[in-house]
Amino acid sequence: MIYRAAEKTIETERLMLRLFTEADAPEVSLLCNNYALYKSTLNLPYPYTLDCALSWISTHPQNFEDNRLYEFAITDKISGQLYGAIGLSNRSQHQNGEMAYWIGEPYWGNGYGTEAAQAIIEFAFQEKNYHRVYAQYFLSNPASGKIMEKCGMSYEGTLKNHVYKNGTFEDIVFYGLINPQH
């Protein structure tokens, strides 16, 4: 993982994590306007319009600048193809943050989520000196949990029937990781 602070980019073997731009909005809208993605995420609206994408992207620069939330586009390092998004909140008073991500359905199963998550965890620990990173997923979306496990995160608990979505209650599963340098 190579972090370039001036450009706000993170480079991995196959990926470039970078800030979103307005030019990404049509592709974000296309990838997010997907029921399969919507049902496995907590806060993604559906349908997901171009205005949703533009509104979401418009918040990123200030959040990053204020060290509130670091949100990156997950893109192919060579072609620039947008695969998804990954974000990391900053709870500085507790020296931790929550990692969240989504990958567009056409790109599922290629390891992009795992590669991006590993990079964000390194970013949190090495660049931002977090003590802990945590993440959560719907029990009905075990693929997201596999990403967390592959990144070395540990199961911390399940909140039963914690979220009501699509006419049903969903269990939320929590994973976390302590900075090995602390």
Side-chain angles (χ1 to χ4, degrees), residues 1-175:
M1 187 269 312
I2 301 166
Y3 177 61
R4 293 183 183 89
E7 292 87 16
K8 297 181 178 75
T9 61
I10 300 172
E11 186 178 332
T12 69
E13 183 182 339
R14 300 180 296 162
L15 303 174
M16 178 64 71
L17 309 184
R18 59 160 176 81
L19 295 185
F20 281 93
T21 68
E22 280 190 8
D24 294 314
E27 187 71 9
V28 168
S29 176
L30 182 70
L31 292 173
C32 289
N33 195 35
N34 174 302
Y35 190 77
L37 185 62
Y38 159 77
K39 71 178 187 165
S40 66
T41 56
L42 189 57
N43 296 314
L44 205 64
Y46 185 81
Y48 196 97
T49 64
L50 181 60
D51 283 344
C52 289
L54 287 167
S55 175
W56 177 63
I57 290 167
S58 74
T59 66
H60 296 184
Q62 195 62 53
N63 284 338
F64 204 106
E65 200 63 36
D66 293 344
N67 288 305
R68 276 193 305 259
L69 181 61
Y70 311 105
E71 293 181 274
F72 295 95
I74 302 171
T75 67
D76 185 275
K77 185 162 78 171
I78 307 300
S79 72
Q81 176 63 51
L82 178 67
Y83 296 140
I86 190 159
L88 179 70
S89 67
N90 182 16
R91 295 172 15 129
S92 56
Q93 71 275 27
H94 302 297
Q95 299 174 39
N96 72 28
E98 181 179 4
M99 174 178 67
Y101 44 80
W102 59 263
I103 300 294
E105 188 174 11
Y107 309 109
W108 291 356
N110 292 299
Y112 300 136
T114 301
E115 192 170 328
Q118 288 168 332
I120 284 294
I121 290 168
E122 284 184 47
F123 170 76
F125 291 162
Q126 295 173 14
E127 300 298 327
K128 299 300 179 182
N129 200 31
Y130 282 26
H131 177 69
R132 170 174 142 71
V133 172
Y134 61 96
Q136 59 182 303
Y137 70 95
F138 290 162
L139 185 61
S140 61
N141 181 20
S144 191
K146 293 285 184 210
I147 289 173
M148 295 170 199
E149 289 173 4
K150 288 177 187 173
C151 291
M153 299 180 89
S154 298
Y155 171 77
E156 295 184 340
T158 300
L159 302 179
K160 296 290 187 186
N161 293 318
H162 191 66
V163 174
Y164 188 74
K165 185 162 184 172
N166 298 329
T168 187
F169 287 96
E170 291 270 1
D171 292 355
I172 299 287
V173 183
F174 276 85
Y175 272 70

